[in-house]
Amino acid sequence: MISLVESGDFIYDYLLADSGGAMKDLLITPLFHDVKGHLKSHLDEIRKSTMVHLHAPADVSGLLGLAMLEAAFLDIGIQYRRRFLPAQHHIPRDERIEPELPKDGLLIFIDPFEDTWKVDELPSHDYLHITPLSVSVRIGSNQKERRGALDVVAQCAALSAALSPNGSKTRLLRPFASTGLWLREALDTTFDPVHTTLRDILRDEGAFRIVPLPEVASPAQGMIPGLSERMLKRLQKGWGTMDAESRASALSELVLPALQSPALSTPRLEELVWHRLVVGESDIDVMSQVFLVENSWPKDEKEAKIHASKLADNLLKSGVLH
């Protein structure tokens, strides 16, 4: 049963059967070591609640984080209400989004653009506040420690899989678990160890394949400044007959204009050229979906809330962001 509560607010009250194999428990991976206890306390609160209220800003990060939790709730039959709040750019600079506490049930406030906190410095609230968290990551052959921010979408994906490890809808949304990190600014300046680590975890479990740009049938246009679409199409046609050296040379020539553009950082360009995330045999990669949705987002506050709810519904049904 789905009943409209108000514009952008929905309540779901039904159970979907579990299907598919178990996903990797992100909470036991080294990436989540620093925040494991904190997120497990969230799980305890969710499991003992008879009603959960999900609040998130009406933007792409808010939508993805909220949908991750919705997927698990639908899989295991947790009753919840969804509410989209004004996006960050609709809030005056000297104000902050303050969620309204419900009369009953548990409130979860997904806050993508809050400052990044260390777990032991988080302020207390009368609700679950999901905000970017500082974590340490060890990568490379020398296992050098680096620090980064674990975004809200990744946290919601971890909570979702812990709640519903065999859930069909939880698995359907799994390929989007690293998209919140893509939407953050870290990749615009330097290599992001958190993004790379989570991306590789998801690849290894089979959530998606990582392929170079020419192997994506219909990537979104406009993601790489100065890219010749005609040259890309020619490269796609001949890609299967080329050896590794020829492919590398052709790709370097293809993206040369982008290397000379200040509009795109080298780490983000490398991801767009060599690390496209493709689910099954889909014609479009995950980041292209995110790019297209982000660029077509309504500017009006009320329209944005309605739009976010429609996208969430479609994503939960199809596993495609459109």
Side-chain angles (χ1 to χ4, degrees), residues 252-282:
S252 296
E253 182 181 355
L254 178 69
V255 301
L256 183 59
L259 288 171
Q260 300 170 339
S261 170
L264 199 65
S265 68
T266 299
R268 196 174 288 277
L269 178 61
E270 288 180 356
E271 291 296 308
L272 290 172
V273 174
W274 292 106
H275 301 133
R276 294 287 180 131
L277 317 181
V278 176
V279 181
E281 299 302 319
S282 175

Short mmCIF file of all heavy atoms in Angstrom, two decimals, residues 252-282:
data_model
loop_
_atom_site.label_atom_id
_atom_site.label_comp_id
_atom_site.label_asym_id
_atom_site.label_seq_id
_atom_site.Cartn_x
_atom_site.Cartn_y
_atom_site.Cartn_z
N SER A 252 44.50 8.43 -25.08
CA SER A 252 45.29 9.62 -24.74
C SER A 252 45.01 10.75 -25.73
O SER A 252 44.87 11.91 -25.35
CB SER A 252 46.78 9.29 -24.74
OG SER A 252 47.08 8.36 -23.71
N GLU A 253 44.93 10.39 -27.01
CA GLU A 253 44.64 11.38 -28.03
C GLU A 253 43.22 11.92 -27.88
O GLU A 253 42.97 13.12 -28.03
CB GLU A 253 44.80 10.76 -29.42
CG GLU A 253 44.55 11.74 -30.56
CD GLU A 253 44.70 11.10 -31.93
OE1 GLU A 253 45.09 9.91 -31.99
OE2 GLU A 253 44.42 11.78 -32.93
N LEU A 254 42.29 11.03 -27.53
CA LEU A 254 40.88 11.42 -27.38
C LEU A 254 40.69 12.46 -26.28
O LEU A 254 39.92 13.41 -26.44
CB LEU A 254 40.04 10.18 -27.08
CG LEU A 254 38.54 10.40 -26.84
CD1 LEU A 254 37.85 10.82 -28.13
CD2 LEU A 254 37.89 9.13 -26.28
N VAL A 255 41.39 12.29 -25.16
CA VAL A 255 41.14 13.15 -24.00
C VAL A 255 42.16 14.28 -23.87
O VAL A 255 42.14 15.01 -22.88
CB VAL A 255 41.12 12.32 -22.69
CG1 VAL A 255 40.04 11.26 -22.77
CG2 VAL A 255 42.47 11.70 -22.40
N LEU A 256 43.03 14.44 -24.86
CA LEU A 256 44.05 15.50 -24.79
C LEU A 256 43.45 16.88 -24.54
O LEU A 256 43.97 17.63 -23.70
CB LEU A 256 44.89 15.50 -26.07
CG LEU A 256 46.04 16.51 -26.11
CD1 LEU A 256 47.02 16.25 -24.96
CD2 LEU A 256 46.76 16.45 -27.46
N PRO A 257 42.36 17.27 -25.21
CA PRO A 257 41.78 18.59 -24.93
C PRO A 257 41.34 18.74 -23.47
O PRO A 257 41.45 19.83 -22.89
CB PRO A 257 40.57 18.66 -25.87
CG PRO A 257 40.91 17.73 -26.99
CD PRO A 257 41.66 16.60 -26.33
N ALA A 258 40.85 17.66 -22.88
CA ALA A 258 40.40 17.72 -21.48
C ALA A 258 41.58 17.92 -20.53
O ALA A 258 41.44 18.57 -19.49
CB ALA A 258 39.64 16.45 -21.12
N LEU A 259 42.73 17.37 -20.88
CA LEU A 259 43.92 17.54 -20.04
C LEU A 259 44.36 18.99 -19.98
O LEU A 259 44.99 19.43 -19.02
CB LEU A 259 45.06 16.67 -20.57
CG LEU A 259 44.93 15.16 -20.35
CD1 LEU A 259 46.01 14.41 -21.11
CD2 LEU A 259 45.01 14.84 -18.85
N GLN A 260 44.02 19.73 -21.01
CA GLN A 260 44.40 21.14 -21.08
C GLN A 260 43.33 22.06 -20.52
O GLN A 260 43.49 23.27 -20.50
CB GLN A 260 44.69 21.51 -22.54
CG GLN A 260 45.82 20.68 -23.16
CD GLN A 260 45.95 20.87 -24.66
OE1 GLN A 260 45.00 21.29 -25.32
NE2 GLN A 260 47.12 20.56 -25.20
N SER A 261 42.22 21.46 -20.05
CA SER A 261 41.11 22.25 -19.51
C SER A 261 41.15 22.26 -17.99
O SER A 261 41.32 21.22 -17.36
CB SER A 261 39.78 21.66 -19.97
OG SER A 261 38.70 22.28 -19.29
N PRO A 262 40.98 23.44 -17.37
CA PRO A 262 40.96 23.52 -15.90
C PRO A 262 39.62 23.08 -15.31
O PRO A 262 39.47 23.02 -14.09
CB PRO A 262 41.20 25.00 -15.64
CG PRO A 262 40.61 25.70 -16.83
CD PRO A 262 40.86 24.77 -18.00
N ALA A 263 38.65 22.76 -16.17
CA ALA A 263 37.31 22.44 -15.69
C ALA A 263 37.21 21.05 -15.06
O ALA A 263 36.24 20.75 -14.37
CB ALA A 263 36.31 22.54 -16.85
N LEU A 264 38.22 20.20 -15.30
CA LEU A 264 38.15 18.83 -14.82
C LEU A 264 39.49 18.42 -14.23
O LEU A 264 40.53 18.58 -14.88
CB LEU A 264 37.78 17.89 -15.97
CG LEU A 264 37.22 16.51 -15.63
CD1 LEU A 264 35.88 16.63 -14.92
CD2 LEU A 264 37.06 15.68 -16.90
N SER A 265 39.48 17.90 -13.00
CA SER A 265 40.72 17.48 -12.36
C SER A 265 41.23 16.19 -12.98
O SER A 265 40.47 15.41 -13.57
CB SER A 265 40.49 17.26 -10.86
OG SER A 265 39.66 16.13 -10.66
N THR A 266 42.52 15.95 -12.84
CA THR A 266 43.11 14.72 -13.37
C THR A 266 42.51 13.46 -12.73
O THR A 266 42.20 12.50 -13.45
CB THR A 266 44.64 14.73 -13.19
OG1 THR A 266 45.18 15.85 -13.91
CG2 THR A 266 45.26 13.45 -13.73
N PRO A 267 42.32 13.42 -11.39
CA PRO A 267 41.71 12.22 -10.80
C PRO A 267 40.31 11.93 -11.34
O PRO A 267 39.96 10.78 -11.61
CB PRO A 267 41.66 12.55 -9.31
CG PRO A 267 42.76 13.52 -9.10
CD PRO A 267 42.77 14.35 -10.35
N ARG A 268 39.51 12.97 -11.52
CA ARG A 268 38.15 12.76 -12.03
C ARG A 268 38.20 12.34 -13.51
O ARG A 268 37.42 11.49 -13.94
CB ARG A 268 37.30 14.01 -11.86
CG ARG A 268 35.81 13.76 -12.00
CD ARG A 268 34.98 14.99 -11.68
NE ARG A 268 34.95 15.32 -10.28
CZ ARG A 268 34.11 14.77 -9.40
NH1 ARG A 268 33.27 13.83 -9.78
NH2 ARG A 268 34.13 15.15 -8.13
N LEU A 269 39.11 12.92 -14.26
CA LEU A 269 39.25 12.55 -15.67
C LEU A 269 39.66 11.08 -15.80
O LEU A 269 39.15 10.36 -16.66
CB LEU A 269 40.29 13.45 -16.34
CG LEU A 269 40.58 13.16 -17.82
CD1 LEU A 269 39.31 13.32 -18.66
CD2 LEU A 269 41.69 14.07 -18.34
N GLU A 270 40.58 10.64 -14.95
CA GLU A 270 41.00 9.23 -15.00
C GLU A 270 39.83 8.29 -14.75
O GLU A 270 39.70 7.24 -15.39
CB GLU A 270 42.10 8.99 -13.96
CG GLU A 270 43.44 9.61 -14.34
CD GLU A 270 44.51 9.36 -13.29
OE1 GLU A 270 44.18 8.76 -12.24
OE2 GLU A 270 45.66 9.75 -13.52
N GLU A 271 38.97 8.67 -13.81
CA GLU A 271 37.79 7.85 -13.55
C GLU A 271 36.87 7.81 -14.77
O GLU A 271 36.35 6.75 -15.14
CB GLU A 271 37.01 8.40 -12.34
CG GLU A 271 37.73 8.25 -11.02
CD GLU A 271 37.92 6.79 -10.63
OE1 GLU A 271 36.93 6.03 -10.64
OE2 GLU A 271 39.06 6.41 -10.34
N LEU A 272 36.68 8.95 -15.40
CA LEU A 272 35.78 9.03 -16.55
C LEU A 272 36.32 8.31 -17.78
O LEU A 272 35.55 7.85 -18.62
CB LEU A 272 35.51 10.50 -16.90
CG LEU A 272 34.65 11.27 -15.90
CD1 LEU A 272 34.63 12.75 -16.25
CD2 LEU A 272 33.24 10.71 -15.86
N VAL A 273 37.63 8.19 -17.88
CA VAL A 273 38.24 7.56 -19.04
C VAL A 273 38.43 6.05 -18.83
O VAL A 273 38.11 5.25 -19.71
CB VAL A 273 39.59 8.22 -19.38
CG1 VAL A 273 40.30 7.46 -20.50
CG2 VAL A 273 39.38 9.67 -19.78
N TRP A 274 38.90 5.67 -17.65
CA TRP A 274 39.30 4.28 -17.43
C TRP A 274 38.39 3.48 -16.50
O TRP A 274 38.44 2.26 -16.49
CB TRP A 274 40.72 4.24 -16.86
CG TRP A 274 41.76 4.68 -17.82
CD1 TRP A 274 42.44 5.87 -17.82
CD2 TRP A 274 42.25 3.96 -18.96
NE1 TRP A 274 43.31 5.93 -18.88
CE2 TRP A 274 43.23 4.76 -19.59
CE3 TRP A 274 41.96 2.69 -19.50
CZ2 TRP A 274 43.91 4.36 -20.73
CZ3 TRP A 274 42.64 2.29 -20.64
CH2 TRP A 274 43.60 3.11 -21.24
N HIS A 275 37.57 4.15 -15.72
CA HIS A 275 36.83 3.44 -14.67
C HIS A 275 35.33 3.73 -14.71
O HIS A 275 34.75 4.20 -13.74
CB HIS A 275 37.39 3.81 -13.29
CG HIS A 275 38.83 3.49 -13.12
ND1 HIS A 275 39.74 4.38 -12.58
CD2 HIS A 275 39.53 2.37 -13.43
CE1 HIS A 275 40.93 3.83 -12.56
NE2 HIS A 275 40.84 2.61 -13.08
N ARG A 276 34.70 3.43 -15.81
CA ARG A 276 33.25 3.58 -15.91
C ARG A 276 32.59 2.36 -15.25
O ARG A 276 33.02 1.22 -15.45
CB ARG A 276 32.81 3.68 -17.37
CG ARG A 276 33.30 4.94 -18.08
CD ARG A 276 32.55 6.17 -17.60
NE ARG A 276 32.99 7.38 -18.27
CZ ARG A 276 32.17 8.27 -18.83
NH1 ARG A 276 30.85 8.08 -18.80
NH2 ARG A 276 32.65 9.35 -19.40
N LEU A 277 31.54 2.60 -14.48
CA LEU A 277 30.85 1.54 -13.75
C LEU A 277 29.61 1.11 -14.54
O LEU A 277 28.68 1.89 -14.71
CB LEU A 277 30.44 2.03 -12.36
CG LEU A 277 31.48 2.86 -11.59
CD1 LEU A 277 30.94 3.26 -10.23
CD2 LEU A 277 32.79 2.10 -11.46
N VAL A 278 29.62 -0.13 -14.99
CA VAL A 278 28.52 -0.63 -15.83
C VAL A 278 27.86 -1.82 -15.15
O VAL A 278 28.53 -2.78 -14.75
CB VAL A 278 29.03 -1.04 -17.23
CG1 VAL A 278 27.89 -1.64 -18.06
CG2 VAL A 278 29.63 0.15 -17.95
N VAL A 279 26.54 -1.76 -15.02
CA VAL A 279 25.77 -2.84 -14.40
C VAL A 279 25.32 -3.80 -15.49
O VAL A 279 24.59 -3.41 -16.41
CB VAL A 279 24.55 -2.29 -13.65
CG1 VAL A 279 23.77 -3.43 -13.00
CG2 VAL A 279 24.99 -1.27 -12.61
N GLY A 280 25.75 -5.04 -15.40
CA GLY A 280 25.36 -6.05 -16.39
C GLY A 280 25.74 -5.61 -17.79
O GLY A 280 26.87 -5.21 -18.06
N GLU A 281 24.77 -5.67 -18.69
CA GLU A 281 24.99 -5.27 -20.08
C GLU A 281 24.32 -3.94 -20.40
O GLU A 281 23.96 -3.67 -21.55
CB GLU A 281 24.45 -6.37 -21.02
CG GLU A 281 25.13 -7.72 -20.84
CD GLU A 281 26.63 -7.64 -21.06
OE1 GLU A 281 27.07 -6.94 -22.00
OE2 GLU A 281 27.37 -8.27 -20.28
N SER A 282 24.16 -3.10 -19.40
CA SER A 282 23.52 -1.80 -19.60
C SER A 282 24.29 -0.96 -20.62
O SER A 282 25.52 -1.02 -20.71
CB SER A 282 23.45 -1.05 -18.27
OG SER A 282 22.94 0.25 -18.45
#
